[in-house]
Amino acid sequence: MHIDHIGIAVDDLESAIATYEKLLDSKCYKRETVEQQKVETAFFQTGESKVELLGATSDDSVIAKYVDKKGEGMHHVAFEVDDIHAELERLRDEGFRVLSEEPSRGADNKLIAFLHPKDNHSVLVELCQTITED
């Protein structure tokens, strides 16, 4: 459908929030901890898309390992989809490797799943679908 957000891994979430508030001339509108991923997120609206800052809440989180290995910077690009299960099936059929068997609950009221960066020219791609209450 569209780019939902760009995820940026940071070492110091508070400092990064202050930087992006100045850069984007807007306040962080939402902060959320995702225990399963051991990450705290901070969101900024930028037109139709968002910037998501990702700070590790544990030294053994994926984000902590990423920052230790590669430093701060862009972590992923997230694309909003209507039906994440159907899209994952389509992409598997196209030969893409999905990093988890099933989507999981992520920040910002989304179901999420990631595609292996080696299949996307070294870019980690996230698919996300807004969770709707029936």
Side-chain angles (χ1 to χ4, degrees):
M1 290 174 26
H2 65 273
I3 294 175
D4 183 75
H5 66 271
I6 304 293
I8 300 172
V10 300
D11 187 45
D12 179 342
L13 187 61
E14 298 305 322
S15 174
I17 289 170
T19 298
Y20 276 83
E21 285 181 341
K22 289 185 252 180
L23 175 70
L24 300 173
D25 196 23
S26 68
K27 295 288 183 189
C28 166
Y29 75 87
K30 181 180 190 178
R31 290 179 71 158
E32 183 176 349
T33 299
V34 182
E35 295 294 338
Q36 179 183 359
Q37 297 175 3
K38 300 177 185 175
V39 66
E40 184 177 1
T41 63
F43 286 92
F44 294 85
Q45 192 70 46
T46 58
E48 291 184 17
S49 300
K50 296 171 273 200
V51 171
E52 176 189 33
L53 302 178
L54 303 152
T57 59
S58 172
D59 290 340
D60 67 342
S61 75
V62 171
I63 294 302
K65 292 174 187 175
Y66 180 91
V67 170
D68 285 345
K69 183 178 180 181
K70 297 187 177 189
E72 295 180 299
M74 190 177 99
H75 181 258
H76 65 271
V77 176
F79 296 97
E80 176 85 17
V81 298
D82 284 325
D83 182 340
I84 197 167
H85 293 93
E87 193 63 14
L88 288 171
E89 183 177 332
R90 182 188 75 78
L91 290 166
R92 283 186 183 106
D93 289 347
E94 291 286 345
F96 290 88
R97 288 173 282 177
V98 178
L99 296 178
S100 59
E101 286 298 312
E102 291 293 321
S104 62
R105 189 176 195 95
D108 204 25
N109 197 39
K110 305 279 187 187
L111 283 178
I112 62 169
F114 291 92
L115 304 179
H116 199 292
K118 288 184 179 179
D119 297 337
N120 308 302
H121 304 274
S122 297
V123 175
L124 181 62
V125 170
E126 176 184 349
L127 301 179
C128 60
Q129 176 186 330
T130 300
I131 299 169
T132 56
E133 303 300 326
D134 294 330

